[in-house]
Amino acid sequence: GAVVSQHPSRVICKSGTSVKIECRSLDFQATTMFWYRQFPKQSLMLMATSNEGSKATYEQGVEKDKFLINHASLTLSTLTVTSAHPEDSSFYICSARPDGLAPQDGYTFGSGTRLTVV
Amino acid sequence: EDQVTQSPEALRLQEGESSSLNCSYTVSGLRGLFWYRQDPGKGPEFLFTLYSAGEEKEKERLKATLTKKESFLHITAPKPEDSATYLCAVPPGHGGSQGNLIFGKGTKLSVKP
């Protein structure tokens, strides 16, 4: 089955530093990947849509200069949280669906990254 | 406004005690309703997609059903390993990629042996 690998699973960083999170599709190509954020006891909220070879599309209220997305290949998207602050602490999850696969087959999610900014 | 509401927020069951989880949705032109299971500290795991009212899908002890306004996830004779948060999601009604899913807050299910 389709597998999405997300790394790291946990990261603690100091306020003001940047953190990069990787999302890889291990056995399929994905032109489009998605980045979500989940706060405790809250819904997963879409942050941005990552498109291979083009600029990401950000949801309203998400700062594109703070959350940098790069989708350099059909199997890798990265999310960089720049100048992180404690309020950026959250659970970040990516998802992807193999190119050509029908929507009803569902999207595969990564295992998530727990970011803690101290 | 597109919206997904799940209830109850938390559900505690004894092993073998069947029950149902509810997902109410408001979206113009439903393009599918997804159920996921999420374990603590993990990403969601796909369970089912339902597309039309009256549709049902089953997987082991789980059965998902769909009406025009809500979906139910029925759990028959649950086991402790069914303990997880169950998420319901729909694509937004205004169009765009179906990868943009609107999630409910989930129902945290705990099954005690």
Side-chain angles (χ1 to χ4, degrees):
Chain A
V3 178
V4 172
S5 173
Q6 193 171 334
H7 180 80
S9 57
R10 289 177 178 270
V11 60
I12 301 173
C13 72
K14 291 185 178 180
S15 186
T17 62
S18 296
V19 172
K20 181 185 285 188
I21 303 170
E22 291 189 349
C23 180
R24 292 180 184 274
S25 55
L26 296 187
D27 49 1
F28 65 94
Q29 293 184 333
T31 302
T32 304
M33 294 185 181
F34 303 89
W35 288 95
Y36 291 82
R37 181 166 53 182
Q38 186 178 34
F39 291 105
K41 296 187 178 181
Q42 297 297 314
S43 307
L44 274 77
M45 297 296 294
L46 181 72
M47 297 176 64
T49 302
S50 173
N51 303 295
E52 187 270 335
S54 64
K55 291 183 179 180
T57 303
Y58 291 82
E59 294 300 299
Q60 190 173 8
V62 178
E63 300 175 58
K64 62 180 181 180
D65 295 328
K66 182 172 184 61
F67 298 99
L68 301 179
I69 291 173
N70 186 292
H71 195 149
S73 77
L74 289 173
T75 60
L76 174 64
S77 175
T78 60
L79 169 68
T80 301
V81 183
T82 63
S83 186
H85 291 284
E87 55 265 31
D88 299 323
S89 299
S90 187
F91 193 53
Y92 294 84
I93 311 174
C94 68
S95 79
R97 187 187 76 215
D99 289 343
L101 200 65
Q104 59 263 32
D105 292 320
Y107 279 77
T108 301
F109 284 80
S111 55
T113 298
R114 172 71 60 191
L115 170 64
T116 303
V117 184
V118 298
Chain B
E1 181 184 352
D2 298 333
Q3 200 167 3
V4 177
T5 304
Q6 290 187 248
S7 62
E9 195 172 305
L11 181 61
R12 293 184 178 184
L13 300 173
Q14 286 297 127
E15 184 172 2
E17 180 186 1
S18 301
S19 187
S20 295
L21 282 55
N22 178 265
C23 171
S24 299
Y25 61 90
T26 304
V27 65
S28 57
L30 182 68
R31 297 184 293 136
L33 185 141
F34 295 78
W35 280 100
Y36 286 86
R37 168 188 171 133
Q38 186 177 24
D39 292 299
K42 301 292 184 182
E45 175 188 343
F46 173 71
L47 293 174
F48 306 108
T49 310
L50 301 167
Y51 279 98
S52 57
E55 189 175 358
E56 297 183 354
K57 288 194 177 174
E58 289 188 61
K59 180 179 180 179
E60 296 180 357
R61 294 176 292 281
L62 301 176
K63 183 169 81 172
T65 61
L66 182 66
T67 72
K68 289 187 178 179
K69 293 184 178 181
E70 57 191 349
S71 177
F72 292 94
L73 185 64
H74 308 276
I75 302 177
T76 302
K79 297 182 178 182
E81 52 262 42
D82 295 321
S83 298
T85 295
Y86 291 86
L87 302 171
C88 172
V90 298
H94 60 73
S97 170
Q98 284 197 284
N100 176 12
L101 294 175
I102 301 169
F103 280 86
K105 292 184 179 182
T107 294
K108 184 176 181 180
L109 174 66
S110 300
V111 182
K112 301 296 183 183

